[in-house]
Amino acid sequence: METNHQLKRADFIFKNENDWEEVLKKNISRSSNELINELISSELKGRGGAGFPTGLKWKLSAEVDSDTKYVICNADEGEPGTFKDREILSLVPFKVLTAMAICGLVVGAKEGYIYLRGEYFFLKPELNKAISEFEQYCKEINLDFTIRIFMGSGAYICGEETALFESMEGKRGEPRNKPPYPALSGYMNKPTVINNVETLAHAYTIFTYGAKRFYDLGVQYSRGTKLFSVSGDTPKPGIYELELGMSLADFVNDFGDGDSKAVQVGGASGFLVPRKRFAETTIGYQGKLVGISLPTGGSMMLFNSSRSMFNVLDNYLEFFREESCGQCTPCRVGCQQLLKGIKAVKSGEKSTQYLDKLLTLAETMQFTAKCGLGQSVANSFSSIVENFREEMIY
Amino acid sequence: MGKNIKITINGEIVEINEGTSILDAARQVGVIIPTLCYHKDLCVAGNCRVCVVEIAGQKRLSPSCATPCEEGMDIFTNSVKVRNSRKHIIELLLSEHNADCTRCYKNGKCELQKLASDFKIMSNDFIPLVPFKNYTIDMFSPSIIKDDSKCIRCQRCVRTCAELQGVNALTVAYKGDKMKITTFFEKAMNDVVCTNCGQCVIHCPTGALVERNYIEEVWAAITDKAKHVIVQTAPAVRVALGEELGFESGTRITGKMVAALKRLGFDAVMDTDFTADLTIMEEGTELLSRLKRALVDHDPGVKLPMATSCSPGWIKYIEHIYPDYLGHLSTCKSPQQMFGALAKTYYAQARNLQPDNIVSVSIMPCTAKKFEANRPEMNDSGYRDVDYVLTTRELAIMIKQAGIDFMKLEDIHFDRLMGESTGAGVIFGATGGVMEAALRTAYELVTGREVPFKDLNILPVRGMEGVREASILIENPLKEWAFLDGVELKCAVAHGLVNAKKVMDSIISGEANYHFIEIMACPGGCLGGGGQPIPTSPEIRAKRAAAIYAEDEGMPIRKSHLNPEVLKIYKDFLIKPLGEKSHLLLHTKYTIRKSF
């Protein structure tokens, strides 16, 4: 994996959006194929964390034959330590709306929805204002596309795309079996493109400046820039747009407080990287080359030596135990067992070897849980227990 | 049928129809993958994860129930990874389960227990979670006991209540570790819109949902020398009881069942089929009188279509959901309750017994019958008409407790007076049976001729389609029924409350124009009832139905109005259908209930 040997800051996402009308008008005159190819050649990958190639997602949905299709913007930003989508929607909403409309045109959808996190209710009035202005313009240029906001109700699991559809359909937010995938059967069992807020904002950048400008940023397999929500033991918490492929050591150099012992990359469902691995870790999507490469939804939590990693893990597991939808066994019961298990080891009720049993349980959860939530509990669990085993015991 | 594709299961190449689930494909080649949340009657949930398999090239395991086969898939159902994961999952379920197996009603019949045994889960490394949860047992319903500490959240009950019954009494609430299966506002089962049908009970893999059993009460009555304990057996019991006692499904064991009941110590063993025939006399007459009021008297108050009232799950459903349509229900009591009312009057007189010394027990394929027997109005004999209702399963338990070698029993006939039945009474146990029995009698009463179907088999009302329609043209009736000449009698049959809803909605919208509808709460009718042996499946129900119709064909008399004991009771006691005594003992009224 290539690495950027210094942090490269960028300023695309929050650059002013005054040109959105122009960008929309210019792009709707292009063919669907042309737009998809532009997106594919940019190598933009989903910025929610999973990293699925966005162009391919649009293409799959475009190829399905259906009278009704949907475009959904996933704004259920619930990953602990992530707060970038809120800023995008408050500062540059038209970029997101424009990208949704272009997506609608590409795949043949006339309806778009923004699934807005329940706690972001305060964004709704301004966002609705932007939507009416946007829809007015769509009418003027004869683009048949509407956007509605759907308010979430506070469940973390509803950020999982199929649980999100269930929630929108008025049902309990529980992930579905896959296949079928959303591109074929999503909201209302119709072909649906569902993209993270930031992904759409990047698509706007690509449709404004062209794929090459985006592709030239970042490194192989991890093109373009990414917003990072920096928090924890750092003198400068906040949101930063950086090129992908940076080394974690460089990141810590810039953002750490000089005493960083670990960084949690990707929130509670991400990985903990200890100091000894900062240098060999890059931030980006997994490629075929050597080295550790961590994808992320953008949450970067720094911990200094005053932090107990047991408490950190305890906190994450409390979160998962409560936010699991509860339908599948490995996630529902597994989270309870992991949480109770580390407490029992700490208190001496269980022997230290019990941690090994818990590590194999975490692995089973990764292999067998129904959705990304249960599958990714092992990420933080295993990386924390393996790297800070002594803190779990003493 | 999709195209055929080739896949590999455990190294063996298999040709399979595209779209088949891995689970089904494996079963077709003799590879059994364990399941818990999967049930043939229900949609695929894929939430227990016990059925995971490994697909070459994929890091994660896939649930075989929810994963369709794709060309070239290389599947392993018993790899190290699969075995370890499966064991973990069973261990996890056990850690969240009140695994006090020897004290559980489902001991020996629990799917989780069987898996734990198959996989030899000997360790209990994981921390028992039950003590941390605030479980209570809901024992308020006279039919169903719900014990959340035994629940494994497979949601089979939830899907059953929604997909088969459309009742949604049970649903999922809360999330994470607090996720549970519960009712509206977590009220008790007797206080919500629940029909007591017991479909959740026969679809539950563990002891979380079981029937409320009255076995000890019945033993006490039998043991009490001062009591005369009589028992009635419903039509569907005789084609299913054998499944609990070592017979193949669909084996008819009527004579052995009677013999077993005698050995258990019941003083008289009689047949609900007798009152099924009686129901036909009363209900058939009621239908004809409603038709006369509609066609001759042009009475605007007459309610058509008339709906059957044998199924207590259906009765409670319509009371909750369509309270404005209670007038459409036949006023006839169900055969169980007719029997109960006659047991403490007609039977008591004939045998010269004090009614208060009679204990009336019924063996039913049904849990809703327990509720029905408990309805406050069901005391027209002056006493509780039916004292105890046992399911088919409870009877099997008593037979086992008594050490009866069921296979070796000689056939015995029911006791006289209320033990004679016809083929028409027997088919009450299958969906469409009441309709068929009613048509056999009503057509003949009206025209003087047998129904125009070969061998009396009215095939259009038989089968397992959710809703079936049939019509019979009445031509050249007897003089007193001249007003029915040329009338095409339109009927519909529905089973499973989700289908009852379809029929009711089509009647309410005016889309359908029936004269008579038969509705049974359970899939397949009583033979698929909530009190029947577990498991149930479409195949098992089809076998039981075949047995019911075979029993009918084997009967010397196949029309209710020719049942000699029915003729006798009208001569000696009731005088005539819809007569004064009938009204007092055999007919009832219904209760408006709230829909939430």
Side-chain angles (χ1 to χ4, degrees):
Chain A
M1 178 99 196
E2 282 180 64
T3 305
N4 279 329
H5 283 291
Q6 65 188 83
L7 285 190
K8 290 182 186 160
R9 301 193 184 217
D11 181 22
F12 290 99
I13 298 272
F14 295 115
K15 204 152 81 176
N16 81 60
E17 51 174 352
N18 299 338
D19 53 351
W20 68 268
E21 294 181 349
E22 200 183 308
V23 172
L24 181 61
K25 206 166 169 181
K26 181 183 87 188
N27 280 287
I28 61 168
S29 65
R30 303 168 72 191
S31 78
S32 183
N33 269 344
E34 210 179 318
L35 289 162
I36 287 176
N37 288 336
E38 176 106 59
L39 208 51
I40 288 176
S41 61
S42 75
E43 291 190 14
L44 170 64
K45 292 180 181 174
R47 294 303 199 235
F52 191 82
T54 308
L56 185 59
K57 201 180 240 188
W58 289 23
K59 186 169 188 253
L60 288 171
S61 193
E63 283 167 358
V64 183
D65 192 25
S66 173
D67 291 344
T68 313
K69 295 183 185 181
Y70 298 102
V71 176
I72 294 175
C73 166
N74 186 348
D76 193 43
E77 183 176 44
E79 188 63 47
T82 311
F83 37 85
K84 62 190 175 68
D85 294 343
R86 181 179 69 186
E87 284 300 282
I88 297 174
L89 289 175
S90 24
L91 298 178
V92 288
F94 284 98
K95 290 192 176 184
V96 176
L97 304 181
T98 303
M100 285 176 75
I102 294 172
C103 177
L105 189 76
V106 165
V107 303
K110 295 184 172 58
E111 288 172 61
Y113 289 92
I114 297 172
Y115 188 96
L116 190 60
R117 180 184 180 192
E119 290 85 341
Y120 289 175
F121 187 73
F122 66 93
L123 291 178
K124 197 180 172 189
E126 281 301 309
L127 198 51
N128 262 331
K129 235 187 262 174
I131 289 172
S132 0
E133 192 186 329
F134 182 79
E135 285 182 341
Q136 186 54 41
Y137 182 70
C138 285
K139 261 185 217 152
E140 283 167 27
I141 58 169
N142 285 323
L143 179 64
D144 185 7
F145 194 74
T146 60
I147 297 175
R148 296 280 168 275
I149 296 175
F150 189 97
M151 286 308 301
S153 301
Y156 171 71
I157 189 60
C158 289
E160 197 280 340
E161 54 194 21
T162 58
L164 184 150
F165 300 146
E166 293 283 302
S167 164
M168 282 181 69
E169 291 173 13
K171 300 177 204 148
R172 190 180 150 80
E174 287 185 345
R176 298 175 182 171
N177 290 305
K178 288 187 239 180
Y181 293 93
L184 191 70
S185 174
Y187 175 52
M188 295 295 189
N189 298 322
K190 298 290 181 193
T192 304
V193 174
I194 176 161
N195 283 138
N196 176 261
V197 174
E198 186 189 341
T199 311
L200 291 163
H202 284 296
Y204 181 90
T205 303
I206 292 161
F207 292 129
T208 308
Y209 302 106
K212 188 167 185 311
R213 181 90 181 264
F214 184 87
Y215 182 88
D216 287 345
L217 303 167
V219 297
Q220 193 185 5
Y221 304 122
S222 303
R223 297 294 173 186
T225 64
K226 168 98 194 70
L227 288 185
F228 290 91
S229 311
V230 181
S231 67
D233 296 316
T234 169
K236 38 183 183 183
I239 298 165
Y240 299 87
E241 187 173 357
L242 304 170
E243 276 188 51
L244 281 173
M246 65 185 172
S247 124
L248 192 56
D250 294 333
F251 175 84
V252 172
N253 244 343
D254 198 331
F255 289 94
D257 61 359
D259 183 27
S260 305
K261 87 170 176 188
V263 180
Q264 179 77 17
V265 179
S269 63
F271 295 83
L272 184 98
V273 185
R275 184 188 296 143
K276 65 183 177 208
R277 300 213 184 278
F278 286 168
E280 60 191 273
T281 304
T282 53
I283 303 302
Y285 305 98
Q286 190 71 53
K288 292 188 180 72
L289 304 173
V290 290
I292 306 166
S293 176
L294 293 180
T296 171
S299 164
M300 303 293 269
M301 264 184 263
L302 294 100
F303 298 109
N304 68 19
S305 60
S306 73
R307 306 292 165 185
S308 151
M309 294 322 292
F310 175 85
N311 288 348
V312 169
L313 180 57
D314 184 84
N315 180 280
Y316 290 166
L317 290 173
E318 284 273 7
F319 174 79
F320 285 127
R321 181 191 62 169
E322 190 175 322
E323 292 298 341
S324 163
C325 78
Q327 73 165 315
C328 84
T329 310
C331 181
R332 181 188 68 250
V333 195
C335 289
Q336 296 176 61
Q337 288 296 350
L338 293 181
L339 178 62
K340 288 223 184 306
I342 61 161
K343 284 183 197 287
V345 169
K346 190 79 171 177
S347 70
E349 285 163 59
K350 289 272 188 192
S351 76
T352 55
Q353 283 81 16
Y354 192 59
L355 287 174
D356 301 319
K357 169 115 187 170
L358 294 179
L359 284 168
T360 62
L361 170 61
E363 198 180 44
T364 294
M365 291 168 69
Q366 188 185 7
F367 293 154
T368 63
K370 190 167 185 174
C371 80
L373 193 162
Q375 289 159 5
S376 58
V377 173
N379 297 350
S380 54
F381 184 86
S382 304
S383 57
I384 292 176
V385 170
E386 278 162 6
N387 288 304
F388 293 95
R389 194 178 172 100
E390 68 289 352
E391 289 196 34
M392 300 300 117
I393 300 167
Y394 304 108
Chain B
M1 295 284 270
K3 62 175 188 195
N4 274 0
I5 54 169
K6 273 194 184 129
I7 58 166
T8 312
I9 298 179
N10 301 336
E12 203 178 312
I13 296 173
V14 181
E15 202 161 309
I16 210 89
N17 216 265
E18 192 178 29
T20 310
S21 71
I22 293 175
L23 179 70
D24 286 341
R27 283 182 184 179
Q28 282 177 34
V29 294
V31 173
I32 296 160
I33 299 172
T35 57
L36 272 176
C37 70
Y38 175 83
H39 197 287
K40 270 196 167 172
D41 284 341
L42 307 171
C43 78
V44 167
N47 59 27
C48 75
R49 317 306 277 184
V50 165
C51 74
V52 287
V53 294
E54 186 170 355
I55 300 172
Q58 295 185 10
K59 186 181 171 198
R60 285 196 282 268
L61 304 178
S62 298
S64 60
C65 66
T67 310
C69 294
E70 283 169 27
E71 179 72 52
M73 260 186 185
D74 192 2
I75 298 158
F76 300 92
T77 69
N78 189 33
S79 65
V80 175
K81 197 165 162 182
V82 168
R83 267 201 313 279
N84 288 344
S85 298
R86 210 169 265 165
K87 273 186 110 157
H88 260 152
I89 287 165
I90 299 167
E91 279 183 77
L92 287 176
L93 285 170
L94 287 168
S95 77
E96 205 188 27
H97 178 78
N98 175 9
D100 192 5
C101 293
T102 55
R103 271 181 284 270
C104 179
Y105 188 65
K106 285 286 278 293
N107 187 13
K109 302 241 168 198
C110 167
E111 293 178 39
L112 179 61
Q113 189 186 38
K114 181 172 183 305
L115 273 183
S117 165
D118 289 351
F119 284 81
K120 293 290 164 256
I121 308 292
M122 315 294 280
S123 68
N124 59 345
D125 288 349
F126 289 134
I127 295 163
L129 299 171
V130 176
F132 298 95
K133 313 213 173 188
N134 208 1
Y135 289 126
T136 50
I137 303 178
D138 179 355
M139 297 179 61
F140 286 100
S141 158
S143 300
I144 295 166
I145 293 176
K146 179 170 174 281
D147 181 353
D148 290 346
S149 74
K150 311 250 176 83
C151 174
I152 57 167
R153 282 85 165 161
C154 66
Q155 302 190 33
R156 263 155 60 164
C157 58
V158 174
R159 283 175 283 150
T160 299
C161 205
E163 293 166 23
L164 303 181
Q165 303 299 58
V167 172
N168 300 295
L170 293 170
T171 186
V172 181
Y174 306 105
K175 60 183 163 57
D177 57 323
K178 296 191 175 58
M179 183 269 208
K180 66 194 275 196
I181 312 303
T182 187
T183 54
F184 182 64
F185 271 86
E186 300 202 60
K187 292 189 197 176
M189 291 281 277
N190 67 329
D191 202 21
V192 294
V193 180
C194 166
T195 67
N196 304 301
C197 71
Q199 285 299 313
C200 56
V201 172
I202 52 169
H203 288 90
C204 177
T206 69
L209 286 159
V210 297
E211 67 271 19
R212 175 142 170 203
N213 83 78
Y214 296 86
I215 296 171
E216 288 310 319
E217 286 85 342
V218 172
W219 276 131
I222 289 174
T223 315
D224 187 344
K225 290 276 172 276
K227 297 291 183 196
H228 182 86
V229 188
I230 64 167
V231 64
Q232 54 168 320
T233 63
V237 176
R238 66 206 65 191
V239 296
L241 176 67
E243 292 167 29
E244 293 276 346
L245 300 163
F247 288 93
E248 283 290 307
S249 22
T251 314
R252 295 146 55 195
I253 43 82
T254 315
K256 287 192 190 331
M257 174 182 73
V258 177
L261 288 164
K262 288 272 182 194
R263 279 214 193 169
L264 290 177
F266 286 102
D267 295 299
V269 181
M270 293 184 291
D271 202 354
T272 316
D273 289 17
F274 161 75
T275 35
D277 281 332
L278 198 58
T279 300
I280 291 301
M281 300 305 291
E282 295 289 328
E283 200 165 290
T285 312
E286 185 185 358
L287 175 64
L288 292 172
S289 82
R290 286 197 194 200
L291 289 173
K292 180 166 180 289
R293 277 167 61 198
L295 298 171
V296 180
D297 309 339
H298 301 289
D299 176 355
V302 68
K303 300 281 191 238
L304 283 173
M306 188 178 87
T308 58
S309 55
C310 308
S311 165
W314 153 238
I315 295 301
K316 187 138 186 280
Y317 179 77
I318 189 174
E319 288 177 335
H320 280 297
I321 310 294
Y322 300 102
D324 297 341
Y325 290 83
L326 297 181
H328 288 260
L329 287 172
S330 159
T331 59
C332 286
K333 285 182 185 172
S334 71
Q336 164 179 278
Q337 292 307 135
M338 285 194 184
F339 189 101
L342 293 173
K344 295 191 179 179
T345 54
Y346 173 62
Y347 177 81
Q349 281 171 31
R351 291 282 184 270
N352 205 11
L353 293 163
Q354 284 299 320
D356 55 352
N357 276 336
I358 296 178
V359 176
S360 168
V361 177
S362 66
I363 313 294
M364 293 285 143
C366 184
T367 49
K369 289 282 176 199
K370 292 172 188 273
F371 171 84
E372 184 187 42
N374 267 303
R375 291 175 75 112
E377 68 273 20
M378 293 298 178
N379 59 355
D380 290 330
S381 62
Y383 305 88
R384 190 95 303 244
D385 293 339
V386 173
D387 293 291
Y388 302 112
V389 179
L390 303 180
T391 58
T392 311
R393 296 188 293 270
E394 291 165 78
L395 173 59
I397 291 169
M398 290 183 74
I399 291 172
K400 287 178 195 163
Q401 286 178 352
I404 295 168
D405 188 345
F406 194 77
M407 296 249 182
K408 288 195 179 145
L409 292 173
E410 295 285 336
D411 287 3
I412 295 184
H413 193 274
F414 287 103
D415 288 316
R416 298 294 163 192
L417 202 64
M418 304 207 297
E420 195 62 69
S421 87
T422 69
V426 171
I427 58 175
F428 264 58
T431 168
V434 178
M435 178 63 67
E436 182 165 349
L439 290 178
R440 283 183 194 171
T441 288
Y443 188 87
E444 197 164 324
L445 290 184
V446 168
T447 65
R449 303 183 305 274
E450 284 195 340
V451 279
F453 290 91
K454 187 166 183 287
D455 298 332
L456 296 174
N457 296 334
I458 308 179
L459 298 181
V461 298
R462 296 189 186 180
M464 290 292 168
E465 270 299 299
V467 178
R468 305 184 295 284
E469 293 178 325
S471 60
I472 276 193
L473 184 64
I474 298 173
E475 287 172 305
N476 302 322
L478 300 173
K479 208 161 73 189
E480 54 183 308
W481 303 105
F483 66 92
L484 287 173
D485 196 12
V487 169
E488 193 183 15
L489 194 66
K490 289 185 184 157
C491 310
V493 171
H495 60 126
L497 291 170
V498 79
N499 295 312
K501 183 171 179 14
K502 286 181 199 159
V503 170
M504 286 305 292
D505 289 345
S506 73
I507 290 166
I508 290 164
S509 72
E511 198 182 309
N513 194 13
Y514 306 120
H515 297 105
F516 188 33
I517 56 175
E518 180 211 287
I519 294 180
M520 294 292 155
C522 291
C526 304
L527 58 87
Q532 291 284 61
I534 300 170
T536 185
S537 71
E539 293 76 23
I540 291 172
R541 292 193 293 275
K543 284 184 186 166
R544 292 178 189 161
I548 289 246
Y549 289 114
E551 187 99 349
D552 168 35
E553 298 245 21
M555 289 290 216
I557 307 170
R558 297 179 59 209
K559 294 177 282 196
S560 299
H561 56 281
L562 299 184
N563 182 330
E565 288 182 353
V566 167
L567 298 173
K568 182 175 159 58
I569 197 174
Y570 279 116
K571 184 165 140 281
D572 295 350
F573 185 72
L574 292 172
I575 313 303
K576 63 170 187 175
L578 299 186
E580 195 184 332
K581 270 222 172 87
S582 290
H583 266 299
L584 181 66
L585 295 173
L586 307 185
H587 290 260
T588 189
K589 54 190 185 317
Y590 303 102
T591 309
I592 292 174
R593 295 177 199 273
K594 55 192 197 311
S595 63
F596 55 87

